[in-house]
Amino acid sequence: MHRRRKLPPLTALTAFEAAARLASFTKAADELGVTQAAVSRQIHLLEQQFGFPLFIRLHRKIELTEKGMTLSAAAGDAFDLIAGSVAEILRDGHKDELTISATVAFSHFWLLPRISEFSRQHPQINLRIVTQDKTPNIESGELDVAIRFGSGMWADGQAELLFEEEVFPVCSPDYAKGAAQIMTPDNLTGHPLIANDVDDPTWIGWTEWLAAFSVKAPRKTLGFRCSFYTEAIYAALNGQGIALGWRLLVGDLLAQNRLVRVSEAAVKTRNAYFVILPKRTRHPKAAGLFLSWLKSKSDLPSMAN
């Protein structure tokens, strides 16, 4: 006979995992729908059972102890695995549903204009596209496929290279006609430069782009700053100035002559677009069909099955 696994109480472990992940008893209580005192009590029971502290209680925050960090990593992985398995089981009766995660810019400028082609090829697949710039954990069980820009080194999934990228300045044809000839990066600093706010360190802004050509960005530019990249591109489309065009994202707009390049200068990014799959061994058939379609749109070698 197999001995019963020696596991701590699931209620206490759930409270601990949430508090460790959120670094707050209060936030864990909000997520679990209980009181802060209840979360604190469950964690205290765990610590009594183990005989050592899991958290260091500071004045306004908590920090995991070394043993707490070990348990947090194990609990997080276990809960992600359970969530993924449950989602997979529930999907067994809905195998033709596919949930895709992508950033706002990628979804808006590349995926949505093309996704109807995939739907025509596979009309039996119901698509759900989750669009957000915050990177969701693909092992949560809520996603089948994610498309991300970065180094490809993510702990929560299997990454496969999809598209490489380069960045160059673009503007509307009308703005280009009214401006003096722009050929080199140092000419750009006298024009309105459209920028956007971003927290992603992999994203290239005007300061980084100009620095690649040994040009210092002016402290005050004639342009303005937007909240999102999509807004920056629409500002450029409306003749507001010059924005940085990411080849994959503005390719359609260039082909339609709604945007034009103002310089041959370009910066090839160190990062690229990757398609991400959960680490679970079984994936919906629809995910494989979507990956094959994505790869058919890429100029990179096809991915092995």
Side-chain angles (χ1 to χ4, degrees):
M1 295 179 60
H2 294 289
R3 292 184 179 180
R4 183 178 181 274
R5 293 184 179 90
K6 294 183 179 179
L7 295 175
L10 184 58
T11 301
L13 192 59
T14 301
F16 165 76
E17 188 278 334
R21 173 167 42 83
L22 299 171
S24 167
F25 289 179
T26 301
K27 291 180 180 178
D30 290 341
E31 180 178 285
L32 298 173
V34 299
T35 65
Q36 189 268 352
V39 169
S40 180
R41 183 168 59 253
Q42 291 296 330
I43 292 171
H44 181 66
L45 289 173
L46 270 186
E47 292 176 325
Q48 280 189 319
Q49 179 178 341
F50 293 152
F52 51 78
L54 297 170
F55 290 99
I56 300 172
R57 278 80 164 173
L58 302 173
H59 178 55
R60 292 183 178 272
K61 63 179 182 178
I62 56 173
E63 292 180 357
L64 285 165
T65 63
E66 185 174 347
K67 291 181 179 179
M69 286 188 283
T70 300
L71 182 60
S72 173
D77 289 344
F79 286 168
D80 285 343
L81 179 60
I82 293 170
S85 297
V86 169
E88 188 173 312
I89 292 168
L90 294 176
R91 262 200 306 267
D92 281 347
H94 306 277
K95 290 183 181 296
D96 292 335
E97 293 184 354
L98 186 69
T99 302
I100 305 161
S101 167
T103 64
V104 173
F106 186 90
S107 178
H108 187 93
F109 290 121
W110 194 92
L111 183 60
L112 290 179
R114 290 169 174 78
I115 198 65
S116 60
E117 176 188 321
F118 176 80
S119 293
R120 286 194 300 271
Q121 294 176 7
H122 306 284
Q124 78 282 9
I125 298 176
N126 295 319
L127 295 174
R128 175 173 175 254
I129 299 176
V130 179
T131 302
Q132 58 181 358
D133 286 337
K134 182 180 177 181
T135 303
N137 188 328
I138 199 169
E139 293 290 348
S140 66
E142 298 178 1
L143 304 174
D144 297 306
V145 180
I147 301 168
R148 297 176 184 168
F149 183 81
S151 66
M153 303 297 291
W154 292 285
D156 64 331
Q158 302 168 340
E160 188 79 26
L161 181 62
L162 191 60
F163 302 107
E164 294 179 333
E165 185 63 288
E166 63 177 356
V167 185
F168 43 79
V170 296
C171 68
S172 70
D174 287 342
Y175 183 88
K177 289 178 184 177
Q181 188 178 27
I182 306 168
M183 295 298 294
T184 60
D186 57 316
N187 297 137
L188 295 172
T189 56
H191 290 265
L193 302 181
I194 305 170
N196 64 283
D197 296 327
V198 65
D199 295 327
D200 188 348
T202 65
W203 194 262
I204 295 176
W206 276 111
T207 299
E208 296 81 8
W209 192 90
L210 291 169
F213 300 97
S214 301
V215 176
K216 186 176 182 180
R219 294 183 63 182
K220 291 186 177 181
T221 67
L222 301 175
F224 67 98
R225 181 173 292 276
C226 303
S227 297
F228 302 101
Y229 183 72
T230 49
E231 294 173 345
I233 292 300
Y234 278 111
L237 286 168
N238 290 318
Q240 193 71 37
I242 300 172
L244 284 174
W246 293 64
R247 176 179 62 87
L248 191 74
L249 303 182
V250 301
D252 289 348
L253 298 173
L254 292 172
Q256 297 160 5
N257 200 39
R258 297 176 64 193
L259 288 177
V260 296
R261 288 184 66 161
V262 299
S263 172
E264 290 301 312
V267 172
K268 186 174 182 179
T269 62
R270 289 189 295 261
N271 297 290
Y273 291 96
F274 290 81
V275 59
I276 318 296
L277 283 177
K279 290 180 179 178
R280 56 180 179 264
T281 54
R282 283 182 54 200
H283 299 102
K285 181 181 178 181
L289 294 172
F290 182 70
L291 263 60
S292 296
W293 177 78
L294 277 177
K295 287 306 239 182
S296 74
K297 300 299 176 185
S298 172
D299 52 5
L300 296 168
S302 296
M303 179 172 52
N305 294 329

